[in-house]
Amino acid sequence: MSNQEENLIDVNHGTQLHKMHGDQKVLEQELENVFGRSWLFLTHESIIPNHGDYVVTKMGTDEVIVSRQENGDVKAFLNVCRHRGAQLCPHEAGNAKGFVCSYHGWGYGNTGELQAVPFDKEVYGGLLDKCKNSLHEVAKVENYNGFIYGCFDENSPSFSDYLGDLKWFLDPYFEHSGGLELIGPPARCLIKANWKCSAENFVGDAYHVGWTHASALRTGESVFTPLAGNSTPPTEGLGLQITSKFGSGLGVLWDAYAGIHDSSLINDMMQWATIKEQQLAEKIGADRARIYRSHLNTTIFPNNSFLTGSGVFKTWQPIDKDTTEVFTWTMVEKDMPEELKQRIAMSVQRTFGVAGYWESDDNDNMESETYMTKGFQARNKNLNAQMGIGNDVYNGKYPGVVCESAIGETSYRGYYRAYSAFINANSWHEIEDKSSNWADILTNAKTK
């Protein structure tokens, strides 16, 4: 392991070298150690409900086919023919019993097994071992309340253990609400930004909302409009910042379920959420029912981000050090009226779609962060994520390392502590070892 990766993150003081947003060697290490060992979002069960349904998606820079099996299970495979490495499936989604390579005609079942090879007996003499030439399968695939995640590393913990403390905050919305679904296909676009710029923003940055989105807030009349132009200073009791052992984190804005949506949706969404909160309080308690009705900005480490209530669900897929492909779905509750689902979907596209006005605001900043790493001096200077440092607690009222403030960078520090553990480890055993005292490290962090 080079000193370059070792020195990227100063975990004890909440700083990071700017070069992490614009260095190709760092990206290569990320693809091996971060994307190669993390749980990554693949698809939602509502998108591939039937036997043979499939989607082609990304795990880091690798294309994978995610396919529903005859027994109802889901498998994922590299979208690469085992013969000469050509792309196997050129389509984004569909239903198929199998896949045939357009180069030489090797055919695979949707189980990944190699089933047909042209002139097998004539040109291979019957010696080709089809079992040894099945598609490369993603080692682990798990379903979290309908959301399907995969991991290349067979030694990784379960997805539930990977989420850790964050699960306590997510389950009220993902499980106890009655379940969620994604409305697709996803909107897709390329931005000239490093993938981490967006992931870190969603993991815990409420600080930028009033400033970056001032115009959008004044125009859209959302529940966040009072923040426009930083005209209203943050006060105690507005929310929380939370991080977990393996870097997933979120921010809570209390009682702000309707999130980014404008006045045409606020009343209907808040009425919906208030009724369900009352139902959930009897089932999971008042504290967690309130979590459901609040607004959570979240990143599941490393690159899956979403806004509950707002219904924005994204992955940030690296193309190179300064290019990211953004996938955006709308996330809604299954038992919502269809008319409400469609109104939310339209609002998500207006705000966080390819040409969304919130999305455009954010992308300007993400691209600016990345562009500035082209400066030799700039890329070797530290970035500061020290907001709220010294106020983080563990074993308090809530799970995880928590700061009881709506605006802070607790989740940033937790994200990059885990990032440092991943990028500097050669196995899951090493990641676990580097994370054994993760909470102590974060709660004892201090400015220089």
Side-chain angles (χ1 to χ4, degrees), residues 48-290:
I48 52 168
N50 303 310
H51 174 218
D53 287 348
Y54 71 88
V55 295
V56 174
T57 187
K58 302 286 284 293
M59 295 179 72
T61 53
D62 286 288
E63 281 192 9
V64 294
I65 302 170
V66 186
S67 178
R68 178 73 70 178
Q69 303 297 296
E70 187 173 10
N71 65 358
D73 290 347
V74 175
K75 291 188 175 183
F77 312 93
L78 290 182
N79 188 20
V80 178
C81 180
R82 290 295 305 276
H83 181 214
R84 301 307 302 157
Q87 183 187 52
L88 182 60
C89 179
H91 309 293
E92 291 188 9
N95 181 283
K97 294 180 179 178
F99 306 95
V100 179
C101 181
S102 61
Y103 193 0
H104 296 95
W106 281 30
Y108 303 83
N110 78 332
T111 60
E113 296 176 352
L114 178 60
Q115 296 179 339
V117 175
F119 306 119
D120 182 11
K121 294 181 179 179
E122 292 83 354
V123 297
Y124 287 97
L127 299 178
L128 180 67
D129 190 335
K130 292 187 176 67
C131 292
K132 291 184 178 179
N133 285 278
S134 297
L135 296 179
H136 293 292
E137 187 170 354
V138 175
K140 288 186 172 184
V141 174
E142 291 191 21
N143 185 322
Y144 169 60
N145 297 305
F147 292 78
I148 298 168
Y149 290 81
C151 184
F152 286 119
D153 194 327
E154 62 183 10
N155 297 311
S156 65
S158 69
F159 183 69
S160 179
D161 289 343
Y162 183 78
L163 281 182
D165 293 315
L166 213 70
K167 203 168 173 296
W168 189 91
F169 297 91
L170 297 182
D171 281 354
Y173 187 73
F174 279 77
E175 178 181 356
H176 300 299
S177 70
L180 307 173
E181 60 189 17
L182 294 184
I183 298 175
R188 299 171 64 166
C189 69
L190 295 178
I191 59 174
K192 295 301 295 180
N194 183 269
W195 67 272
K196 294 188 295 301
C197 296
S198 299
E200 70 175 34
N201 175 270
F202 271 70
V203 82
D205 190 351
Y207 188 42
H208 81 292
V209 174
W211 193 254
T212 291
H213 301 299
S215 296
L217 291 172
R218 293 188 181 105
T219 302
E221 298 179 8
S222 79
V223 295
F224 302 139
T225 292
L227 302 175
N230 290 345
S231 57
T232 303
T235 58
E236 292 185 8
L238 289 180
L240 308 170
Q241 292 274 311
I242 302 99
T243 191
S244 61
K245 183 176 181 179
F246 297 123
S248 298
L250 56 81
V252 178
L253 290 172
W254 291 122
D255 310 318
Y257 176 88
I260 51 100
H261 300 299
D262 61 28
S263 56
S264 65
L265 269 177
I266 288 176
N267 290 338
D268 289 345
M269 292 192 69
M270 293 305 291
Q271 182 179 15
W272 169 270
T274 299
I275 293 171
K276 186 167 285 189
E277 179 190 20
Q278 294 168 354
Q279 298 168 347
L280 291 180
E282 299 179 4
K283 181 179 179 181
I284 60 176
D287 287 343
R288 297 186 78 198
R290 190 186 184 194

Side-chain angles (χ1 to χ4, degrees), residues 3 16 41 105 108 125 167 178 195 213 232 320 380 401 411 430:
N3 288 332
Q16 308 84 33
F41 176 72
Y108 303 83
K167 203 168 173 296
W195 67 272
H213 301 299
T232 303
D320 55 39
N380 289 294
V401 169
S411 301
E430 285 191 32

Side-chain angles (χ1 to χ4, degrees), residues 358-373:
W358 283 64
E359 184 87 343
S360 298
D361 289 342
D362 283 338
N363 286 346
D364 284 347
N365 292 328
M366 308 310 148
E367 294 188 349
S368 175
E369 276 186 271
T370 304
Y371 177 78
M372 297 313 295
T373 64

